[in-house]
């Protein structure tokens, strides 16, 4: 039950969790490539109806892209290899197999699949356990224990830094003796994510892009920064706080890009900010707005409060407290399990 908030006070943050978001690279194409590895070096696309639903990065390098019409794709890249993807059973089976593989790393069973090609993994308990054995005076020679009852099962790593990319990109690493708990926890999460990614590629032949943060929405969004085969961690400021970095990060996103808001709700918010109907592009395969309204634009509008969002967005089928939920998302806060 959300609190009765009727002002613009930011909601409280809860940043004790570490969430890893996995997004398999060009998943539909990767399923075909797993069966025929020769396709990896060739321009390859998967077709449903008359559009490309995905294509590999060799095809993208030659000008092809998702949701492109088949006739346009063949004109731009005549040598493209196209397979029909109408039968989704092969994708469903591959998705289940990869989910079970990632689930095998979990201690707490908090693993959630989104569609066929995305998985959230809550590794908070694994981070808690390994924080207890971390030697803060010798971070460069750390060991991550993968099983509670076997201190020899795991991998060595350098906890003095992050594995992969950081947001912000100009993030300054704190001196070893001054490092805060959130920073250390996110570092451990990044090295665990890298380990799982490498195991996934080695055992299953699939690559993925990963985001590491303290909630599901932020982990999904921050992972988008370095595709393909990259991983990014949303880091705190030099005082160990995530409030300002999260506000800046999510504030740069269009309101329609934030998971949990959705197209219809984002259009209502967009039109409220514009005070008119948004210009809609009907020329796209699935349509879309031409007018970008960022999360920061919404937050800066003086009349936007949880109460006002409830009145704007509530309706048949919407959950009670939708206004407070969206207010939280506007501040990069997502407490869903």
């Amino acid at each position: 039950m959300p609190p009765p908030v009727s002002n613009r006070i930011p909601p409280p943050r809860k940043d004790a969790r570490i969430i890893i978001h996995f997004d398999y690279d060009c998943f539909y194409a990767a399923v075909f490539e797993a069966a025929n590895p020769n396709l990896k070096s060739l321009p390859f696309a998967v077709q449903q109806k008359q559009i490309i639903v995905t294509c590999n990065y060799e095809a993208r390098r030659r000008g092809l892209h998702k949701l492109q019409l088949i006739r346009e794709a063949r004109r731009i890249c005549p040598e493209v290899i196209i397979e029909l993807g109408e039968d989704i059973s092969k994708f469903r089976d591959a998705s289940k197999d990869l989910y079970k593989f990632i689930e095998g790393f979990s201690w707490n069973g908090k693993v959630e699949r989104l569609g066929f090609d995305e998985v959230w993994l809550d590794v908070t308990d694994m981070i808690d356990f390994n924080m207890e054995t971390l030697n803060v005076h010798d971070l460069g020679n750390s060991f991550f224990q993968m099983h509670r009852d076997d201190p020899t099962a795991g991998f060595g790593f350098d906890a003095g830094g992050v594995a992969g990319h950081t947001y912000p990109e100009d993030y300054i690493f704190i001196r070893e003796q001054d490092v805060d708990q959130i920073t250390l926890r996110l570092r451990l999460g990044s090295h665990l994510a890298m380990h799982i990614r490498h195991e996934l590629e080695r055992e299953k032949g699939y690559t993925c892009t990963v985001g590491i943060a303290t909630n599901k929405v932020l982990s999904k969004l921050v992972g988008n920064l370095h595709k393909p085969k990259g991983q990014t961690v949303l880091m705190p400021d030099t005082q160990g706080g995530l409030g300002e970095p999260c506000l800046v990060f999510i504030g740069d996103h269009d309101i329609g890009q934030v998971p949990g808001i959705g197209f219809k709700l984002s259009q209502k918010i967009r039109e409220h900010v514009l005070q008119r109907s948004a210009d809609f592009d009907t020329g796209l395969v699935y349509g879309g707005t031409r007018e970008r309204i960022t999360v920061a634009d919404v937050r800066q509008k003086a009349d936007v409060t949880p109460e006002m969002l409830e009145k704007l967005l509530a309706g048949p089928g919407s959950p009670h407290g939708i206004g407070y939920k969206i207010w939280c998302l506007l501040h990069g806060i997502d407490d869903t399990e």
Side-chain angles (χ1 to χ4, degrees), residues 142-194:
S142 298
F143 185 82
F144 198 102
Q145 190 171 323
M146 294 296 292
H147 299 283
R148 281 194 182 92
D149 302 325
D150 186 354
T152 66
F155 59 92
F157 70 103
D158 179 6
V162 167
H165 302 274
T166 62
Y167 176 91
E169 294 208 4
D170 59 355
Y171 174 78
I172 299 172
F173 286 100
I174 302 167
R175 291 182 305 164
E176 200 166 291
Q177 58 267 39
D178 297 331
V179 67
D180 58 88
Q181 290 293 295
I182 291 181
T183 296
L184 272 178
R185 292 169 66 81
L186 287 164
R187 286 182 186 177
L188 265 63
S190 74
H191 288 279
L192 175 58
M194 184 74 78

Side-chain angles (χ1 to χ4, degrees), residues 304-318:
V304 174
T305 64
E307 213 169 51
M308 170 260 147
L309 289 168
E310 186 74 27
K311 291 176 182 177
L312 177 68
L313 304 175
S318 64

